[in-house]
């Protein structure tokens, strides 16, 4: 009978993993593994990716490569507090050396049971017009330590 319970639990866990959102790669202890540029998570167009915002450190997404002047990238971010306490998070576009190329718009400071704070994180590749020539870029997301609460973000690359 205990084999049946283990098999049933295993099948339930497999079924839960097949949803359209994901917390991204995690270590056996459940912590995110995309805590460096080397382990950045790719964002596929139109595929939402959900994750918990860490209170300390950062999470990395990308790489995002550009091929032509004026090429643009937009990622929609929905940020929601899990406890109702205010939680703030920020984002920035960085190069392969973790140097800020351009601060992205904030992800917001949701609180209460209301809808998620929604923002668009946009970047335009314009080295010919004086913009950065860094290519590829990564999106770095971190919590504001003074307002770090349990919160989740869903990113959707447009």
């Amino acid at each position: 009978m205990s084999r049946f319970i283990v098999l049933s639990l295993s099948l339930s866990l497999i079924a839960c993993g097949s949803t359209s959102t994901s917390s991204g790669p995690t270590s056996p202890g459940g912590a995110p593994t995309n805590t460096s540029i080397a382990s950045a998570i790719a964002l596929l167009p139109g595929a939402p990716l959900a994750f918990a915002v860490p209170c300390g450190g950062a999470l990395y997404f990308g790489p995002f490569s550009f091929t032509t002047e004026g090429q643009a990238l937009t990622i929609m971010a929905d940020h929601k507090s899990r406890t109702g306490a205010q939680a703030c998070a920020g984002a920035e576009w960085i190069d392969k050396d973790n140097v800020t190329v351009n601060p992205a718009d904030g992800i917001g400071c949701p609180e209460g049971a209301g809808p998620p704070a929604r923002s668009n994180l946009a970047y335009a590749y314009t080295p010919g017009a004086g913009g950065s020539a860094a290519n590829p870029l990564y999106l770095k997301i971190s919590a504001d330590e003074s307002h770090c609460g349990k919160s989740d973000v869903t990113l959707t690359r447009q």
Side-chain angles (χ1 to χ4, degrees):
M1 182 157 177
S2 64
R3 284 185 184 175
F4 175 77
I5 293 171
V6 170
L7 179 58
S8 178
L9 179 58
S10 297
L11 291 175
S12 295
L13 291 173
I14 290 169
C16 288
S18 65
T19 63
S20 64
T21 61
S22 167
S23 60
T26 58
S27 68
T33 58
N34 59 320
T35 56
S36 72
I37 290 173
S39 60
I41 295 176
L43 292 176
L44 301 175
L49 181 71
F51 57 92
V53 179
C55 283
L59 299 177
Y60 296 83
F61 302 88
F64 304 102
S65 297
F66 302 92
T67 57
T68 59
E69 177 79 19
Q71 187 175 358
L73 170 66
T74 302
I75 298 171
M76 185 177 59
D78 286 327
H79 187 197
K80 181 135 178 87
S81 172
R82 278 188 264 144
T83 65
Q86 186 179 47
C88 297
E92 57 188 314
W93 299 104
I94 59 170
D95 67 13
K96 64 179 177 55
D97 297 318
N98 204 5
V99 173
T100 300
V101 171
N102 191 24
D105 293 332
I107 297 178
C109 296
E111 64 181 302
R118 176 166 280 180
S119 59
N120 284 315
L121 309 173
Y123 184 83
Y125 181 67
T126 57
S132 173
N135 195 8
L137 291 181
Y138 297 83
L139 183 64
K140 178 180 177 181
I141 295 180
S142 57
D144 175 344
E145 294 297 324
S146 65
H147 290 95
C148 188
K150 293 183 178 182
S151 65
D152 298 308
V153 169
T154 300
L155 298 178
T156 306
R157 182 176 174 183
Q158 306 298 297

